[in-house]
Each structure stands twice: as C-alpha cells, then as structure tokens.
Amino acid sequence: MGLSGRFTKIFGTDDNAAHGKGELARQVAAAGHFDPASTVLFGDTEHDAEVARDAGIACVLIAKG
C-alpha cells in the first residue's frame, strides 16, 4: 500500500539535489494549496527542515530518504 491515498495533495520535485524545493513551497503556499496548520513536509535533509520552517509547516525527517 502506498502513501498517495492517505493525503489530500502531494507536491514534490524530481531533482535529487533539491533545487527548487523552497521555491515550490513558496508557490504552493501563495496559491493557497495547503493549510500550514494541517501540512507536513516529509524529507531527509536539513534543507528539507529549513524549507518547512520557512513555509511555516511541520517537518518529519526520515533517515533513509
């Protein structure tokens, strides 16, 4: 069973170097695509935590990203 059926919306990038994650978060937030109070960013790097913090959302870091 995958996770996609458990979420209302899923956003991400296919860039392994994480280029554009911050910009994607800003664009999605500006478009009103999510409520920061009910949003979680899943990631595996300190950069992911920074993006979440900048977007005002919770973050879960997974060691085996």
Side-chain angles (χ1 to χ4, degrees):
M1 174 189 292
L3 292 176
S4 62
R6 307 226 181 242
F7 297 94
T8 305
K9 294 184 181 176
I10 298 174
F11 299 93
T13 66
D14 59 3
D15 183 341
N16 289 339
H19 295 115
K21 279 187 184 179
E23 182 59 28
L24 174 62
R26 284 187 288 282
Q27 289 174 356
V28 171
H33 286 297
F34 67 83
D35 171 17
S38 62
T39 300
V40 177
L41 184 149
F42 291 90
D44 62 348
T45 66
E46 181 62 29
H47 177 66
D48 293 327
E50 292 168 0
V51 169
R53 188 171 38 252
D54 290 347
I57 61 177
C59 182
V60 174
L61 294 180
I62 301 167
K64 295 183 179 185

